Amino acid sequence: MKVIIVTYIFGLCETTDKMASFIAQHTDSVKIVDPYQGVRCEFSSETAAYEQFIKDCGHDDYLFLVRESVLKDKHDVLIGFSAGANAAWRISELVESDCKSILCFYPSEIRNHADIEPKVPTAVIFPKKEASFDVLTMNTALLNRINVTTQIMPYKHGFMNCLSDAYDKQGETMGFEYILNRIRKI
């Protein structure tokens, strides 16, 4: 089984290292796609990371990077986090055959792309609250979609990222368990 991880705005960091190591224990290979194309960056805050993400890449260019990787590298599972989940959600209507599952952890931009109809099984994992939209309303809007499952976790946006103000160790553990359960079902 081959997995592609699509990172947060922070790109390559301790969090992605930990995720890749965890996932590698349960799969054949793990590839990471990040907005800075392999360059590790240090950020003083989430705000600084977001500003750099928008300056260096932005959501549309990140989608393009992910699309290029998905087309080039055959994979079974695509897992995105935050900005990476936004790209994974948007790509879900473009990928077929080789991809068996997409997991989108807290994709806040989903509000701007709610009309997407995924072609492969896609799980959207929401935090308990988003600043930019009502999670319960969005969750309800996606419930009856073909190929879409949803879950609302009792944590804040960024709960699996140790660089986020919302990081939660218990949430991270729960997220890893969720990933492992999805991988095992494939």
Side-chain angles (χ1 to χ4, degrees):
M1 174 164 324
K2 297 178 180 179
V3 175
I4 296 175
I5 297 172
V6 188
T7 74
Y8 300 85
I9 56 176
F10 293 94
L12 298 178
C13 61
E14 177 184 340
T15 293
T16 54
D17 295 344
K18 187 175 183 179
M19 283 180 200
S21 177
F22 172 81
I23 292 169
Q25 295 174 32
H26 306 283
T27 62
D28 298 323
S29 73
V30 178
K31 178 179 179 178
I32 298 175
V33 178
D34 74 282
Y36 313 107
Q37 300 183 50
V39 176
R40 285 186 177 262
C41 301
E42 297 285 326
F43 301 104
S44 59
S45 66
E46 284 185 76
T47 301
Y50 186 74
E51 288 170 359
Q52 194 68 43
F53 169 76
I54 294 300
K55 179 182 171 201
D56 287 0
C57 189
H59 292 288
D60 290 338
D61 286 347
Y62 202 21
L63 173 64
F64 179 77
L65 285 174
V66 173
R67 185 174 179 272
E68 291 280 305
S69 182
V70 165
L71 291 173
K72 182 177 131 192
D73 301 313
K74 302 295 182 197
H75 67 288
D76 300 295
V77 181
L78 183 65
I79 306 172
F81 298 89
S82 193
N86 298 331
W89 171 253
R90 291 174 68 187
I91 208 93
S92 71
E93 70 177 353
L94 305 174
V95 298
E96 290 186 64
S97 63
D98 295 327
C99 186
K100 295 175 179 70
S101 185
I102 296 175
L103 284 71
C104 303
F105 282 84
Y106 30 87
S108 60
E109 288 290 314
I110 197 169
R111 70 190 186 277
N112 297 321
H113 304 282
D115 59 335
I116 285 176
E117 297 288 343
K119 292 184 178 179
V120 298
T122 301
V124 179
I125 301 90
F126 289 112
K128 65 182 177 182
K129 184 179 179 183
E130 284 282 3
S132 55
F133 65 89
D134 182 73
V135 170
L136 292 175
T137 301
M138 182 60 68
N139 186 66
T140 300
L142 298 177
L143 278 179
N144 295 317
R145 297 268 179 93
I146 295 172
N147 287 325
V148 177
T149 57
T150 63
Q151 181 163 346
I152 300 173
M153 297 279 201
Y155 307 102
K156 295 177 182 178
H157 182 112
F159 64 84
M160 290 183 70
N161 184 348
C162 66
L163 298 176
S164 172
D165 295 336
Y167 173 72
D168 186 288
K169 180 68 176 158
Q170 185 176 358
E172 177 187 55
T173 300
M174 193 175 197
F176 280 144
E177 288 171 4
Y178 186 90
I179 291 168
L180 184 56
N181 287 334
R182 291 293 291 218
I183 289 172
R184 286 182 173 159
K185 290 180 181 180
I186 296 172

